[in-house]
């Protein structure tokens, strides 16, 4: 059955490898089960209902990605978008969380329309090769700073913004150990090296008493407090049109950058090779709409999927495994919580290093290609935003091409994207 659905042999993989890859990705992105309720509950939403909505949105999105696109990419409510939802739209602008959910729903419909009409694919086709490589590199760097922060290796410093953490603490030491375990096992070509590294750190943390085993089974709470509570008309008539625009821009470029970056790592979007990117974009779009109905912020493709790709995931069976595990998390959330952040951090950091190989694909001899690519990659981790990195890259690409007399080589899609980012920053800020 799996062979017929996912064409495992054609992709050079096995069911066991795909399941291990799915489990690896789930462990690296399962933090969203606990982080998303923390953030969205600040708006007055029911925390338990958000927990259920998060699990269901992730399961549904990943399942659609598996069965429609056959790509090994996990879906879940996006970090960054949930913060914008809670702290900007509701807390700062004063809209209700019901209106904010309505804005997410409308942006999802626009997103779907762009996908179905082919406009989104046309936009992607206009991305210069150097910027595509820079997007993958930037996502890797973004993944790296998240990993170092979660491990406690990089910390906040009021004088220099970031600084080195206390490496004598148990968390950073375990994260460093996990990184070397993964690197050694992977260099020996042992399948599931990332998963093994995560489990080794988790078990050691329990033995050392720094991570608590909180049980296995718990009954899922009710989703009723957030299910179908979105206020679409309130979003349309309440002055949320600019918010909807921001949601669409971030969803288009964050999600697309992630999909392309992870898919390139899995060799699913190679030159001259048929791609199911259109189907992946459709799955991504529909997941946003479903998530808003359940009661959570925009659902998107996760950069953590790269860890599953590194573990061998190449087909939708990886994503289907992720979907099943998110459903299981409804009942075994205490067990999922036993995996500390410094156990998944080494996996993310290792994948970040691997994604840096995309730097070799950038045309460094052409400054009008290299400088925008460098800005794209650098801005993502330092502004903690994939969208900002894309904005820096596209705008600088157009500016440099224009002022060096190379306007004719700029694809119309690149011009439009750059203009939209200028409008975004000029009228809506960051």
């Amino acid at each position: 059955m799996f062979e017929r659905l996912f064409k495992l042999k054609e992709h050079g993989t096995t069911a066991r490898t795909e399941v291990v890859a799915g489990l690896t990705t789930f462990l690296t992105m399962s933090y969203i089960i606990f982080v998303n309720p923390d953030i969205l509950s600040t708006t007055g939403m029911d925390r338990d209902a958000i927990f259920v909505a998060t699990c269901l949105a992730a399961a549904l999105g990943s399942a659609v990605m598996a069965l429609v696109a056959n790509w090994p990419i996990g879906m879940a409510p996006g970090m960054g978008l949930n913060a914008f939802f809670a702290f900007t739209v509701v807390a700062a602008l004063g809209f209700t969380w019901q209106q904010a959910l309505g804005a997410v729903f409308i942006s999802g419909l626009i997103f779907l329309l762009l996908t179905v009409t082919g406009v989104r694919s046309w936009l992607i086709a206009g991305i210069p090769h150097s910027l595509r490589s820079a997007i993958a590199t930037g996502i890797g760097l973004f993944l790296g700073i998240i990993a170092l922060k979660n491990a406690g290796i990089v910390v906040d410093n009021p004088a220099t913004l970031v600084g080195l953490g206390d490496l004598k603490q148990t968390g950073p030491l375990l994260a460093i150990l996990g990184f070397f375990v993964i690197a050694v096992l992977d260099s020996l070509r042992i399948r599931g090296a990332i998963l093994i590294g995560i489990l080794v750190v988790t078990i050691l943390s329990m033995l050392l008493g720094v991570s608590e085993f909180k049980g296995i089974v718990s009954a899922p709470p009710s989703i009723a407090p957030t299910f179908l509570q979105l206020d679409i008309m309130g979003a349309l008539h309440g002055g949320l049109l600019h918010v909807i625009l921001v949601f669409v821009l971030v969803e288009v470029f964050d999600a697309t950058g992630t999909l392309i970056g992870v898919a390139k790592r899995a060799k699913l979007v190679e030159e001259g090779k048929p791609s199911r990117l259109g189907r992946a974009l459709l799955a991504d779009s529909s997941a946003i709409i479903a998530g808003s109905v359940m009661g959570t912020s925009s659902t998107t493709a996760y950069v953590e999927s790269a860890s599953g790709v590194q573990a061998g995931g190449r087909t939708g069976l990886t994503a289907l495994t992720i979907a099943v595990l998110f459903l299981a998390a409804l009942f075994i959330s205490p067990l999922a919580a036993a995996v500390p952040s410094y156990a998944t951090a080494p996996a993310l950091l290792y994948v970040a290093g691997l994604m840096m190989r995309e730097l070799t694909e950038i045309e460094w001899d052409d400054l009008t290609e290299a400088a925008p690519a460098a800005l794209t990659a650098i801005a993502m981790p330092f502004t903690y935003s994939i969208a900002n990195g894309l904005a820096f890259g596209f705008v600088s690409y157009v500016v440099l091409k224009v002022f060096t007399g190379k306007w004719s080589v700029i694809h119309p899609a690149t011009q439009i994207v750059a203009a939209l980012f200028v409008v975004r920053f000029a009228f809506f800020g960051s």
Side-chain angles (χ1 to χ4, degrees), residues 52-392:
V52 176
T54 301
C55 292
L56 291 179
L60 178 61
S62 299
V64 173
M65 183 65 71
L67 300 175
V68 174
N70 195 23
W71 273 19
I73 295 177
M75 307 278 291
M79 289 296 295
L81 288 172
N82 53 6
F84 176 73
F85 180 106
F87 303 126
T88 301
V89 180
V90 177
L93 299 179
F95 295 103
T96 66
W97 60 264
Q98 292 91 340
Q99 287 176 304
L101 284 177
V104 172
F105 180 85
I106 296 168
S107 69
L109 288 179
I110 297 173
F111 203 40
L112 182 61
L113 180 63
L114 292 175
T115 301
V116 172
T117 58
V119 173
R120 190 177 175 190
S121 295
W122 177 75
L123 289 171
I124 296 168
I127 300 176
H129 182 74
S130 291
L131 285 184
R132 291 188 186 187
S133 297
I135 289 170
T137 301
I139 291 172
L141 290 170
F142 185 61
L143 204 63
I145 196 168
I146 291 173
L148 292 171
K149 178 179 177 293
N150 289 347
I153 296 173
V154 168
V155 296
D156 174 54
N157 187 307
T160 60
L161 295 181
V162 294
L164 185 65
D166 185 358
L167 300 186
K168 294 182 292 184
Q169 295 296 316
T170 304
L173 286 174
L174 286 174
I176 293 170
L177 173 63
F179 176 83
F180 286 124
V181 168
I182 293 171
V184 170
L185 292 178
D186 195 38
S187 68
L188 296 175
R189 302 185 182 279
I190 296 177
R191 287 289 186 181
I194 293 177
L195 174 61
I196 294 172
I198 292 172
L199 295 177
V200 166
V201 173
T202 300
I203 293 171
L204 283 176
S205 67
M206 291 179 181
L207 294 176
L208 293 172
V210 294
S211 180
E212 181 182 357
F213 180 70
K214 300 179 180 179
I216 299 177
V217 178
S218 64
S222 172
I223 195 177
T226 60
F227 184 65
L228 288 176
Q229 297 300 308
L230 65 169
D231 183 1
I232 299 174
M233 297 307 297
L236 287 173
H237 300 295
L240 271 165
L241 293 180
H242 67 288
V243 170
I244 294 170
L245 176 60
V246 173
F247 271 133
V248 170
L249 287 174
V250 174
E251 287 160 2
V252 166
F253 297 108
D254 275 15
T256 301
T258 298
L259 285 170
I260 292 176
V262 176
K264 285 187 69 174
R265 176 61 189 155
K267 299 181 179 180
L268 297 172
V269 289
E270 295 178 306
E271 293 293 336
K273 179 179 179 179
S275 171
R276 295 181 300 278
L277 179 59
R279 294 186 178 187
L281 298 177
L282 184 64
D284 190 49
S285 306
S286 59
I288 296 171
I289 299 173
S292 65
V293 171
M294 295 177 190
T296 183
S297 54
S298 301
T299 302
T300 187
Y302 258 59
V303 293
E304 285 86 345
S305 300
S307 64
V309 169
Q310 174 57 23
R314 293 294 182 272
T315 74
L317 182 53
T318 293
L320 186 62
T321 301
I322 296 167
V324 171
L325 289 171
F326 269 112
L327 288 177
L330 288 168
F331 302 92
I332 59 171
S333 57
L335 181 61
V339 179
S341 60
Y342 47 80
T344 59
L348 301 183
L349 184 60
Y350 187 67
V351 171
L354 295 175
M355 294 183 74
M356 293 292 291
R357 290 183 292 195
E358 290 292 332
L359 285 169
T360 61
E361 300 297 320
I362 297 172
E363 298 177 47
W364 293 108
D365 293 334
D366 185 348
L367 184 62
T368 62
E369 296 283 337
L375 284 174
T376 300
I378 291 172
M380 287 187 189
F382 288 127
T383 65
Y384 222 68
S385 168
I386 294 172
N388 288 340
L390 292 172
F392 277 53

